[in-house]
């Protein structure tokens, strides 16, 4: 229900009154128009304001000036954006934390945020070497401090030499610092067994999200049935759906096979693509490997099949490989799309367009706050590359401390350097602990009747299937909630554990899941898993 | 001229041949279709590739697979983006630097980049206290180092306490760290003489550019004649035109009055708005104060008039105030839009929607590389604020080191604290030097016949008017270049000085300018100004 208020310009008072408006003093006419605003009022030709009926008018008839920017007049694509990882459940978790700190009684002593891959927040320690170099770069006076190891100093010196005025406070080139891009290229060559990498194809980014968003932005065009469609896995990391919503692109869902440990079937890609061709113009295929939220690690064969599919169907490939060091399961190994593409020979390596993404936020580093990342593009059209560089120049450059950190990730201490042993010790400790926690999570969850969890082969999450009783589903629906949101909210209120419902990532109709990170310290994770188990049993009992 | 290549699916070879295609071996038919691609080929139903005629086919008849993403198939709004501050002239400057470093002979020994407000790159030193705190936050082991002052340690401790797991490597809240937003609110209250500020209205950003882009994104909607229009000053900072192009919004130009020291006339706002109402729906008015590229500082009266205009015309106000400490001219003073809005009484302060922007990149800090900033919103609709927070959550959080730096800017050393004296000394030195260089720039440029420069009242740039001889204009046009681009390119090639042509910011038809930063160290600036003078005289002579 809306009121339109006009001061008499455009519509005169009489016309507005005739249309059911009420004279309200001060030359104002208040017009009720139940739901829709006359186009005339929105066109800007009429000096008219409209207010939500729920807002009180003051007694003297002066109506508060209505907002220019309201939920009804804002960018509609922004309204379509959803991002479950920081959605309502997290807002409630923050509220609960505040209530606890204010002394309110709860059935738990602390809120455990297992909703987001935020390693340091869960107690993971940063790599000493990385932080030493960042301190040296921040305050170069420390280069004279004898307590810092020489390799940290030489890295810092090299980074500062690449900065304007030798300061991290200077803008870098929009594509990123030259020497960092060179180091990234060398890293990729080493990682991929010598496959060549051109630093000109490297773009440093503000976390991987920024790179993914930018690539999608380049790809989107057309209207109606020629509008760009982008294939994403279901379940997906909701950055993808959010970005596509914001860009007004068409999201094409392909479903991962939960029965086969979240594997990717080419026949399912084909089905999704063939259907989508009827209503949009599919142009890109996004893959997350290792998987988020599903934790699977793709086989080399599967990657080859995907590349072949992309070539055949003329799709631009986007490979989200931010968890490339997070592989735990025996027999699993990370294969980069770039490497497989090159091994498939020039028919593919000279033609298939690929952008791959990496980040400082995951793996053993977990440095989310620095917002570092890079993207490598292959076989990208030169004119498009020029457009990309131009687009990036508008936001000037990615944060330089994040670029410095990315440099350290791709160029860590080498054997023989003073920091090498400690670096390896710290990295191994973090990755071993993650592997142990991945195993533990799968094991404990699979002891619960009504929960079934695929092996966490990689990444940082489990995404178990949960059975929700019919009665609970009905109650959730009555409250206008997704059943797994209802389940997760209840768990949060009763146990303090903050998970993300599967509906935030997408799942097969009628199935329910949650995403839980494996990041809490092992003793805390054990308690958390037992609490999840107890909650699930209680919940099932309550609603059966 | 295009060729369409089909392997026989969709169209069979005969059909393609009938349509003028040439059989080309390997089952391929090459079809010339001079300019336009048949819709059938673009629809994706046909496995067809098309190549630009300029690209050679190999002799065995195998045609390179055409790209999915080309200049013709990419997002058209991205193509419309322009950003002169890092445009072709800067690319050439970088090339010249490389040529110099490779020993190539040039008529100059170094390239001086006076194109961008990048203070540290021009030799400005960072504030010691800020960098000490950042080093402490990066490597908290240093909290035990007795050489760091206590106030730096306590600031670092407080920042780390506000980070998850006490690490800058954790994600912060998407809106920014709570304690930093509180400090920003206190800073604004102090700056504005006690006008209240709610931390809930503060959003930390990745530099000011990110905040401006985000606000514009919220504001854009509608199609055709109802498409959102945004008023920007001409000359403008090209972030605005670039953002509007990318969003597909309508840019509404209002011209600053060069004759009156780049002042803003309300009658010109009214003219621009009235004209724009015929073809779009104007919703926002952007102001840059102190001005970029024009260096003027708005009077309190002018700001009041602008607010009154925005209220009357129902425009959302965006105040870009990143140069708020950069005011040099006698009699000039920075007035924030927020403060003036509040002084105008509740009729305005409770209704006019305003977003104002600040940054760590300018003022006396010049910390561009950290990408820190904040935005304050006032009178923003609550539902829109919720949408804004949701939108920000997708990119997770602004870089935490930039947030920490923003905190230090708004909460610097206080009287009595150990770092206070040195902080004041450093800040004063930087601002005094800038004031001196502002004066020097104006004075020297005004000694040149054919150059006329308004006082640099604030910010970091001069934007002098230059007279370009008819003959040079003609030659530029023949080369398809803007005359001032032609002028600046010539200056770069002959002197190594990199400026930005006025056409990159917009200017009155038939007038020409360049933007030059006042950032080089004073001795270098003196040389630079003399070189500009000599170049202009020579150029004028050459073309007269």
């Amino acid at each position: 229900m809306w009121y339109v208020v006009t001061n008499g310009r455009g519509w005169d008072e009489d016309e507005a009154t005739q249309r059911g408006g009420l004279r309200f003093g001060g030359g104002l006419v208040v017009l009720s128009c139940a739901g829709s605003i006359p186009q005339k009022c929105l066109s800007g030709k009429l000096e008219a304001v409209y207010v939500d009926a729920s807002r009180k008018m003051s007694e003297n008839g002066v109506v508060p000036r209505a907002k220019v920017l309201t939920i009804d007049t804002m960018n509609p694509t922004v309204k379509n954006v959803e991002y479950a990882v920081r959605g309502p459940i997290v807002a409630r978790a923050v509220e609960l934390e505040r209530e606890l700190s204010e002394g309110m009684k709860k059935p738990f002593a602390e809120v455990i945020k297992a909703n987001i891959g935020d390693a340091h927040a869960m107690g993971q320690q940063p790599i000493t070497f990385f932080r030493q170099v960042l301190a040296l770069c921040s305050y170069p006076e420390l280069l004279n401090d004898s307590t810092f190891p020489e390799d940290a100093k030489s890295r810092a010196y090299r980074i500062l030499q690449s900065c304007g005025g030798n300061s991290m406070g200077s803008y870098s080139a929009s594509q990123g610092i030259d020497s960092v891009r060179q180091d990234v290229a060398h890293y990729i060559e080493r990682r991929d067994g010598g496959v060549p990498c051109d630093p000109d194809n490297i773009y440093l980014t503000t976390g991987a999200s920024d790179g993914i968003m930018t690539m999608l932005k380049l790809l989107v065009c057309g209207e109606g049935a020629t509008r760009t469609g982008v294939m994403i896995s279901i379940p997906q990391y909701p950055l993808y759906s959010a970005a596509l919503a914001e860009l007004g692109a068409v999201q094409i869902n392909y479903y991962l096979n939960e029965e086969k440990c979240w594997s990717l079937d080419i026949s399912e890609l084909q089905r999704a693509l063939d259907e989508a061709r009827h209503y949009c113009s599919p142009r890109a295929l996004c893959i997350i490997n290792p998987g988020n939220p599903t934790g699977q690690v793709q086989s080399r064969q599967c990657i080859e099949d995907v590349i072949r599919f992309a070539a055949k169907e003329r799709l631009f490939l986007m490979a989200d490989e931010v968890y490339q060091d997070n592989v735990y399961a025996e027999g699993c190994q990370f294969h980069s799309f770039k490497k497989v593409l090159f091994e498939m020979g020039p028919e593919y390596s000279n033609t298939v367009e690929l952008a791959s993404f990496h980040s400082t936020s995951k793996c053993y580093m977990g440095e989310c706050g620095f917002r570092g990342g890079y993207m490598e593009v292959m076989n990208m059209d030169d004119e498009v590359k020029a457009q990309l560089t131009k687009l990036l120049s508008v936001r000037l450059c990615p944060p330089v401390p994040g670029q410095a950190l990315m440099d350290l990730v791709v160029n860590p201490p080498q054997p023989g350097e003073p920091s090498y042993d400690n670096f390896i010790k710290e990295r191994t400790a973090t990755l071993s602990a993650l592997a142990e926690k991945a195993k533990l999570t799968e094991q404990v969850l699979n002891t619960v009747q009504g929960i079934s969890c695929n092996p966490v082969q990689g990444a940082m999450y489990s995404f178990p299937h949960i059975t929700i009783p019919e009665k609970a589903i009905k109650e959730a629906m009555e409250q206008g909630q997704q059943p797994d949101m209802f389940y997760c909210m209840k768990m949060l209120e009763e146990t303090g554990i903050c998970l993300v419902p599967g509906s935030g990532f997408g799942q097969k109709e009628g199935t329910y899941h949650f995403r839980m990170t494996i990041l809490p310290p092992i003793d805390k994770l054990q308690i958390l898993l037992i609490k999840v188990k107890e909650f699930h049993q209680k919940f099932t009992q309550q609603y059966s």
Side-chain angles (χ1 to χ4, degrees), chain A residues 263-485:
Chain A
S263 67
L264 194 164
D265 297 336
I266 300 296
S267 60
E268 167 60 11
L269 284 182
Q270 192 72 59
R271 177 207 60 79
L273 185 71
D274 290 347
E275 284 179 21
R277 291 225 197 266
H278 292 118
Y279 56 85
C280 70
S281 175
R283 303 187 72 199
L285 167 56
C286 300
I287 307 278
I288 312 174
N289 177 50
N292 175 7
T294 38
Q296 84 286 14
V297 177
Q298 279 187 308
S299 69
R300 197 194 167 291
Q301 183 59 49
C302 177
I303 293 171
E304 194 172 320
D305 293 344
V306 169
I307 292 172
R308 225 178 287 279
F309 177 82
K312 177 171 76 86
E313 300 291 350
R314 300 196 66 245
L315 297 169
F316 191 108
L317 266 174
M318 290 177 57
D320 180 340
E321 303 179 324
V322 300
Y323 298 99
Q324 54 190 265
D325 293 331
N326 298 110
V327 176
Y328 317 117
E330 256 176 68
C332 285
Q333 199 189 328
F334 171 72
H335 302 274
S336 78
F337 267 73
K338 162 89 178 284
K339 180 170 190 240
V340 177
L341 182 60
F342 269 75
E343 289 169 354
M344 289 169 70
E347 190 193 346
Y348 294 92
S349 65
N350 291 342
T351 61
V352 174
E353 292 152 87
L354 168 65
S356 67
F357 305 90
H358 196 18
S359 156
T360 60
S361 303
K362 310 298 169 186
C363 299
Y364 63 92
M365 304 81 79
E367 295 277 14
C368 312
F370 280 81
R371 314 307 300 121
Y374 75 75
M375 127 174 120
E376 183 188 14
V377 297
M378 272 146 289
N379 295 315
M380 187 183 256
D381 183 86
D382 285 337
E383 286 173 304
V384 175
K385 275 175 76 174
Q387 292 287 326
L388 170 58
T389 305
K390 180 194 71 178
L391 180 64
L392 295 178
S393 76
V394 178
R395 59 93 205 256
L396 296 160
C397 69
V400 174
Q403 296 188 48
L405 188 54
M406 192 76 246
D407 190 52
L408 300 170
V409 170
V410 296
N411 184 19
Q414 297 303 307
E417 289 187 327
S419 304
Y420 180 73
D421 290 345
N422 192 49
F423 166 71
I424 294 294
K425 201 182 99 197
E426 290 177 346
R427 186 180 68 174
T428 308
T430 298
L431 290 176
S432 310
L434 284 171
E436 193 186 345
K437 293 188 276 189
K439 194 99 199 150
L440 178 74
T441 302
E442 176 202 345
Q443 281 171 346
V444 177
L445 289 178
N446 279 327
T447 65
V448 190
Q449 204 175 4
I451 296 187
S452 140
C453 182
N454 270 320
V456 182
Q457 297 175 332
M460 297 179 165
Y461 317 98
S462 66
F463 195 71
H465 178 280
I466 50 176
T467 306
I468 298 183
E470 279 307 318
K471 230 170 107 184
I473 295 175
K474 199 159 158 264
E475 191 170 322
M477 294 302 196
E478 280 165 13
Q479 296 181 21
Q481 254 181 353
Q482 289 293 329
D484 48 13
M485 173 62 96

Side-chain angles (χ1 to χ4, degrees), chain A residues 12-227:
Chain A
D12 64 17
E13 287 181 41
D14 289 338
E15 190 186 351
T17 315
Q18 272 169 23
R19 288 169 179 255
L22 292 168
R23 275 174 204 272
F24 212 82
L28 291 168
V29 177
V30 179
L31 181 78
S32 149
C33 51
S36 74
I37 316 286
Q39 186 53 35
K40 211 168 168 183
C41 301
L42 287 175
S43 72
K45 282 177 192 149
L46 170 69
E47 188 172 338
V49 290
Y50 42 94
V51 290
D52 190 320
S54 65
R55 280 182 214 152
K56 266 214 170 134
M57 297 186 195
S58 65
E59 290 186 5
N60 62 2
V62 175
V63 184
R65 187 190 301 274
K67 309 277 186 198
V68 176
L69 185 61
T70 68
I71 194 81
D72 296 299
T73 64
M74 69 176 283
N75 189 334
T77 65
V78 172
K79 277 190 276 188
N80 294 336
V81 168
E82 278 181 38
Y83 187 69
V85 176
R86 293 204 151 180
I89 199 147
V90 183
R92 179 62 188 141
V94 171
E95 223 172 81
L96 283 171
E97 273 184 329
R98 201 182 41 242
E99 290 176 9
L100 274 176
S101 77
E102 286 165 357
M104 219 181 268
K105 276 265 172 293
K106 299 282 167 196
F108 46 87
E110 69 169 324
V111 173
I112 304 178
K113 288 191 193 143
N115 61 297
I116 188 167
D118 192 359
H120 291 198
M122 286 286 109
Q124 184 181 311
Q125 292 305 303
I127 298 287
T128 302
F129 179 78
F130 293 176
R131 296 308 196 90
Q132 285 173 331
V133 179
L134 287 169
L136 289 160
C137 289
S138 300
Y139 186 49
E141 284 288 309
L142 291 171
L143 287 167
N144 304 318
D145 185 330
S146 60
T147 61
F148 280 83
E150 284 308 313
D151 50 352
K153 286 185 188 175
S154 68
R155 289 294 194 297
Y157 183 79
R158 180 156 176 273
I159 292 168
L160 290 174
Q161 286 295 107
S162 308
C163 294
N166 301 336
S167 168
M168 283 210 298
S170 298
Y171 292 120
S172 75
S174 301
Q175 193 171 349
I177 297 172
D178 280 359
S179 68
V180 178
R181 291 190 294 111
Q182 284 157 15
D183 287 349
V184 169
H186 290 145
Y187 162 81
I188 292 174
E189 289 181 349
R190 283 195 312 277
R191 183 195 68 187
D192 291 344
V195 166
C197 179
D198 183 346
D200 272 357
N201 290 337
I202 305 297
Y203 294 78
L204 300 183
T205 58
T206 308
S209 307
D210 168 48
I212 293 166
M213 186 72 198
T214 302
M215 261 317 305
L216 290 172
K217 196 181 282 173
L218 290 180
L219 278 159
V220 172
C221 67
E223 291 301 327
T226 66
R227 188 69 178 163

